[in-house]
Amino acid sequence: MAKLKLKRHVINRDWCKGCGICVHFCPQHVLELDDQDKVFAARPQDCVCCKLCELRCPDLAIEVETEEEMIWADR
Amino acid sequence: MATKDYIRERFFPHIWCPGCGHGIIMNALLHAIEQIGLKKNDIVMVSGIGCSSRISGYLDFHTLHTIHGRALAFATGVKISRPELTLLVPMGDGDALSIGGNHFIHACRRNIDMTAIVMNNRVYGMTGGQYSPLSGYGTYATTAPYMNIDQDFDVVQLATASGATFVARSTTYHVHEMTAILKAAILHKGFSVVEVMSQCPTYFGRKNKEGSASDMMEKFRARTVPLGSKKKQEDPTLIERGIFVDKQMPEYCEEYQKIIGRAMKDK
């Protein structure tokens, strides 16, 4: 079985306008806005790679880079 | 192909305000196109005037940025001459249903194979927040400081009555649903209308005290239900989402080819 594993959040700071949609709708509260109102991943370890931030970003400013992790079920 | 390959990066960041729903629609549209696997050279995007219509500048297809309300007329010309191309016509609510209202209903009636996306933010954003035919009774706008008394159109009912063969509605909150609907609309043979409820935090949101972009999207979640939901019977003010019409009818370009064949038979 393959599961998505986070590589990193790629954030384009020039394109981010700090609207906060990704922060508000992140189911795991991974993201926050910094003092310049740009998004950053405050708790990347909690990310479940649902990519809702990437899909809802009006500015195409955030991308969730993932890789597939193989998980072997115990027999 | 990644979604980033479909955009003209040199024009980013785009002009839309922070939190504008139009960017989310563009994002979903890119994902829909990527999932279908369409080539950039096979897509023509035709838009009119308004915030929403700026989308054609940002996407790396064949693009026409035309005159207010007339995008569908230009798109009809393109489709008639090159029927093999995929036509996408993003429009704002005012562009589609006020200035372009006549073009809209007649394009529906002809059933020409293209996808009209009504990016409905219920306001004229670019020109300063005037009320549009989709603002609705009881809303406020810069031109309706004491309340708007105009009733609004129901895009879905209007398109259905006008004869569109694919009619659907979604919102910027429901991104997975929106992407799936846009995909189905693009693949549909005939005239497709997709209304996407979008937020304008700058004008509609501010004038109607609806809060931030996220608050407005939360409202889309709370105030809409999937088509056929029982909740709608309990509360008729809820707005239904989903695919309302999906049927096959003779397509205009194909019928036109038959007419050419008939006219040329004796030549």
Side-chain angles (χ1 to χ4, degrees):
Chain A
M1 217 182 106
K3 188 191 164 201
L4 284 183
K5 190 185 161 209
L6 178 75
K7 261 166 103 179
R8 60 188 182 126
H9 294 89
V10 185
I11 291 158
N12 187 335
R13 288 179 62 83
D14 291 338
W15 291 8
C16 175
K17 292 175 187 153
C19 67
I21 289 175
C22 55
V23 177
H24 182 93
F25 288 109
C26 176
Q28 300 295 320
H29 311 290
V30 171
L31 305 167
E32 277 180 25
L33 295 182
D34 64 16
D35 54 358
Q36 289 175 46
D37 274 349
K38 305 282 183 185
V39 69
F40 74 105
R43 286 167 290 277
Q45 68 280 5
D46 295 343
C47 180
V48 290
C49 308
C50 67
K51 302 194 180 186
L52 281 169
C53 52
E54 184 181 322
L55 293 170
R56 288 213 180 94
C57 178
D59 295 285
L60 313 181
I62 184 165
E63 197 181 328
V64 183
E65 259 189 32
T66 54
E67 58 193 356
E68 286 197 349
E69 187 184 47
M70 298 305 284
I71 298 169
W72 302 103
D74 290 332
R75 282 169 195 271
Chain B
M1 219 166 165
T3 51
K4 286 268 161 70
D5 296 330
Y6 289 106
I7 63 175
R8 293 171 179 153
E9 275 197 40
R10 62 189 183 279
F11 297 131
F12 278 71
H14 53 57
I15 66 152
W16 291 321
C17 304
C20 175
H22 292 352
I24 306 178
I25 301 172
M26 179 175 73
N27 197 335
L29 183 65
L30 288 172
H31 280 93
I33 289 166
E34 190 210 9
Q35 285 171 24
I36 298 170
L38 286 171
K39 281 197 233 150
K40 287 201 276 192
N41 268 343
D42 293 339
I43 304 171
V44 184
M45 178 170 272
V46 188
S47 67
I49 295 297
C51 290
S52 59
S53 300
R54 296 294 294 246
I55 189 175
S56 63
Y58 299 121
L59 302 181
D60 198 20
F61 312 133
H62 300 290
T63 56
L64 282 169
H65 196 171
T66 69
I67 52 178
H68 207 358
R70 274 72 185 159
L72 285 168
F74 284 83
T76 302
V78 174
K79 186 70 185 176
I80 281 281
S81 60
R82 295 287 301 273
E84 72 279 12
L85 298 175
T86 300
L87 266 289
L88 303 176
V89 189
M91 298 178 285
D93 44 309
D95 194 42
L97 291 150
S98 185
I99 302 95
N102 241 305
H103 290 292
F104 182 79
I105 56 174
H106 290 283
C108 289
R109 182 173 64 86
R110 283 194 193 108
N111 193 34
I112 186 160
D113 183 22
M114 58 178 70
T115 304
I117 304 158
V118 181
M119 300 159 80
N120 175 16
N121 60 8
R122 305 177 71 189
V123 79
Y124 287 94
M126 183 169 281
T127 48
Q130 293 85 354
Y131 64 83
S132 89
L134 290 174
S135 296
Y137 182 88
T139 56
Y140 293 85
T142 49
T143 46
Y146 301 106
M147 198 181 90
N148 180 22
I149 55 167
D150 286 13
Q151 298 292 340
D152 54 345
F153 276 128
D154 183 323
V155 183
V156 166
Q157 285 186 17
L158 180 71
T160 306
S162 308
T165 50
F166 185 101
V167 183
R169 180 189 284 132
S170 191
T171 84
T172 51
Y173 171 78
H174 304 88
V175 274
H176 287 297
E177 179 197 74
M178 186 195 346
T179 308
I181 282 178
L182 286 170
K183 209 170 134 183
I186 294 166
L187 292 172
H188 174 78
K189 182 94 182 160
F191 194 77
S192 314
V193 177
V194 181
E195 178 195 4
V196 185
M197 294 166 68
S198 174
Q199 71 275 14
C200 174
T202 304
Y203 282 112
F204 191 86
R206 193 156 50 86
K207 287 284 168 191
N208 292 283
K209 298 192 168 48
E210 292 204 348
S212 67
S214 312
D215 295 336
M216 294 178 84
M217 288 168 74
E218 287 284 5
K219 205 177 164 199
F220 291 151
R221 165 155 71 171
R223 299 299 304 155
T224 65
V225 286
L227 186 60
S229 164
K230 274 190 186 153
K231 281 189 195 161
K232 171 79 178 170
Q233 291 160 5
E234 291 158 17
D235 182 0
T237 61
L238 293 173
I239 299 166
E240 287 183 301
R241 312 185 314 268
I243 298 171
F244 293 77
V245 179
D246 188 0
K247 61 180 180 184
Q248 293 300 320
M249 294 266 280
E251 197 272 325
Y252 195 74
C253 295
E254 285 178 7
E255 294 304 305
Y256 201 82
Q257 276 305 315
K258 288 182 198 164
I259 290 296
I260 292 172
R262 198 172 294 169
M264 299 296 280
K265 203 166 64 184
D266 303 326
K267 296 281 183 323

